[in-house]
């Protein structure tokens, strides 16, 4: 079985993924390596990052629903082990350059649509995020509402007392966060995701934090580019089918 190995961290050197930093810096997630240290897996929330020489035991042990291989030589192994239980999926990375995120533009996008209110996510709102399926990921990987208030950051859109959209920290790393954005299906395409995300990005910049954005879909990428992010291209991941059908 895989074991933890601090030396395996070098297998992830230069991989520009902030969730990997969350683990390596001791904030969130776990690191497991094979016995000879030639391969390792970092698991952070829904993601399992695989690096090094492809290792079947690490692939089989991956409990996270999204598998992210560092190199293409992992692909055949993943497909061979999981077969129809996984499907390939393209995610989109963005360049991590705060100069692209212009406050003036963000302030314009942060304007709240009529009939809605955008407020900071406090402990009360954080607890309510678990009550709706679409909003659960806005809680991030924090241990509690108190932990979120201490280390996290986020904004929620409210309509008639109900939470209908939000943008928040999914993970944290030294000097920044990884952004999560979600909207209730019935109020999409009304600018709520833009308003919440713009507020969050502005709040991060004001605090000297970098708001990293890794897009799960082209829709997410389009929103990121609207805010000022620039894509560095798509990359291959695998989604376990039972999870992917819920997306």
């Amino acid at each position: 079985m895989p074991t933890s190995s601090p030396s395996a961290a070098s297998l992830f050197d230069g991989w520009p993924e902030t969730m990997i930093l969350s683990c390596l810096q001791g904030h969130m997630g776990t690191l497991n390596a094979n016995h000879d240290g030639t391969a390792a897996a970092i698991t952070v929330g829904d993601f399992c990052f695989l690096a090094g020489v492809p290792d079947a035991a690490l692939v089989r042990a991956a409990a996270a629903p999204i598998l992210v291989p560092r190199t293409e030589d992992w692909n055949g192994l993943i497909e061979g082990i999981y077969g129809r239980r996984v499907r390939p999926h393209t995610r989109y990375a963005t360049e991590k350059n705060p100069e692209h995120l212009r406050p003036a533009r963000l302030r314009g996008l942060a304007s709240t649509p009529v009939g809605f209110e955008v407020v900071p996510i406090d402990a009360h709102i954080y607890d309510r995020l678990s009550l709706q399926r679409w909003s659960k990921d806005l809680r991030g990987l924090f241990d509690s509402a108190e932990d979120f208030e201490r280390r996290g950051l986020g904004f929620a859109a409210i309509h008639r007392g109900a939470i209908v959209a939000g943008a928040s920290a999914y993970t944290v790393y030294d000097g920044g966060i990884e952004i999560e954005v979600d909207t209730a299906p019935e109020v999409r395409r009304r600018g709520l995701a833009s308003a919440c995300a713009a507020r969050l990005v502005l709040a991060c910049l004001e605090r000297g934090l970098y708001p990293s954005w890794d897009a799960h879909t082209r829709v997410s990428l389009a929103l990121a580019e609207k805010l000022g992010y620039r894509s560095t291209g798509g990359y291959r991941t695998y989604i376990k089918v039972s999870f992917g059908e819920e997306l």
Side-chain angles (χ1 to χ4, degrees), residues 123-175:
H124 176 63
I125 290 177
Y126 181 88
D127 285 337
R128 290 172 59 197
L129 293 173
S130 65
L131 302 178
Q132 303 176 99
R133 185 175 178 181
W134 68 265
S135 62
K136 288 182 178 179
D137 285 344
L138 289 170
R139 291 166 59 91
L141 302 184
F142 300 90
D143 296 330
S144 63
E146 292 73 23
D147 185 33
F148 181 85
E149 288 194 310
R150 181 170 60 88
R151 297 193 292 164
L153 184 63
F155 291 84
I158 309 296
H159 178 62
R160 296 179 179 176
I163 301 169
V164 294
S168 67
Y170 182 69
T171 54
V172 297
Y173 65 98
D174 291 352

Side-chain angles (χ1 to χ4, degrees), residues 207-218:
R207 291 164 171 77
L209 302 172
Y210 184 75
S212 178
W213 192 301
D214 192 270
H216 184 70
T217 63
R218 288 187 178 276

Side-chain angles (χ1 to χ4, degrees), residues 116 134 157 159 163-165 183-193:
F116 299 86
W134 68 265
H159 178 62
I163 301 169
V164 294
T183 306
E186 64 272 17
V187 294
R188 288 174 182 167
R189 301 185 182 280
R190 297 193 189 183
L192 297 173

